[in-house]
C-alpha cells in the first residue's frame, strides 16, 4: 500500500472565525440613528455637507423631536445641551416655511451656536 500524503491544514476554522467576527460587528455597529418620524428633506443644489451632530427633527405637521424629547420640551433640552457646534435641523420638505422660520427664531433666542438645515441633493 502506498504511503498517504499528509493533508494540509484545513482553513474551515479560520473561515468560521471570520464569519463570527463579521456577524459580531454587524450586530454591534450603529449605522445611523433612526428618525423619530418619517421625513422627506427638501432638495438642494449645494455640495456642502452638514457637519453638525446635534439634530432637531421637524415633521411636516410641525412636530419637534430632540433625542428623546418631543414637543415644547425640546427647547429646554437644546438650552441645556453641551457643546457649541451648530444645531442640525432635519425638516420634512412639506414643513411650512413660516413654521420653520418660527423654530429658527426660537433657536436663535436659546443659543448662539447657529443652525444648519439638512437637505437632500437634487
Amino acid at each position: 500500500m502506498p504511503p498517504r500524503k499528509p493533508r494540509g491544514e484545513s482553513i474551515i476554522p479560520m473561515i468560521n472565525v471570520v464569519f463570527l467576527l463579521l456577524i459580531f460587528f454587524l450586530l454591534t455597529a450603529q449605522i445611523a440613528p433612526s428618525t423619530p418620524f418619517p421625513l422627506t428633506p427638501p432638495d438642494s443644489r449645494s455640495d456642502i455637507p452638514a457637519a453638525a451632530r446635534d439634530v432637531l427633527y421637524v415633521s411636516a405637521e410641525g412636530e419637534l423631536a430632540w433625542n428623546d424629547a418631543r414637543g415644547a420640551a425640546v427647547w429646554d433640552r437644546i438650552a441645556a445641551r453641551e457643546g457649541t457646534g451648530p444645531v442640525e435641523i432635519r425638516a420634512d420638505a412639506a414643513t411650512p416655511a413660516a413654521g420653520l422660520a418660527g423654530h429658527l427664531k426660537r433657536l436663535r433666542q436659546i443659543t448662539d451656536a447657529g443652525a444648519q438645515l439638512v437637505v437632500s441633493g437634487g
Side-chain angles (χ1 to χ4, degrees), residues 37-122:
F37 33 74
L39 292 177
T40 305
D43 290 331
S44 170
R45 298 204 189 327
S46 175
D47 293 332
I48 302 171
R53 298 213 190 279
D54 295 324
V55 181
L56 172 64
Y57 294 95
V58 184
S59 72
E61 295 79 28
E63 182 183 355
L64 299 173
W66 176 273
N67 295 333
D68 60 344
R70 301 290 183 269
V74 302
W75 302 116
D76 295 331
R77 293 287 181 91
I78 292 173
R81 78 184 178 107
E82 295 179 5
T84 58
V87 174
E88 183 177 296
I89 300 175
R90 292 182 183 248
D92 194 276
T95 303
L100 191 57
H103 295 319
L104 287 171
K105 182 178 179 182
R106 179 82 187 265
L107 188 62
R108 182 68 179 158
Q109 292 170 349
I110 293 173
T111 181
D112 292 332
Q116 293 179 340
L117 179 62
V118 175
V119 296
S120 66

Side-chain angles (χ1 to χ4, degrees), residues 4-40:
R4 297 174 84 182
K5 290 184 181 179
R7 293 181 71 176
E9 293 291 325
S10 174
I11 63 167
I12 300 297
M14 184 175 68
I15 292 172
N16 290 340
V17 169
V18 169
F19 278 117
L20 287 173
L21 286 173
L22 178 65
I23 291 170
F24 171 77
F25 287 119
L26 287 175
L27 291 176
T28 59
Q30 180 180 3
I31 304 300
S34 62
T35 60
F37 33 74
L39 292 177
T40 305

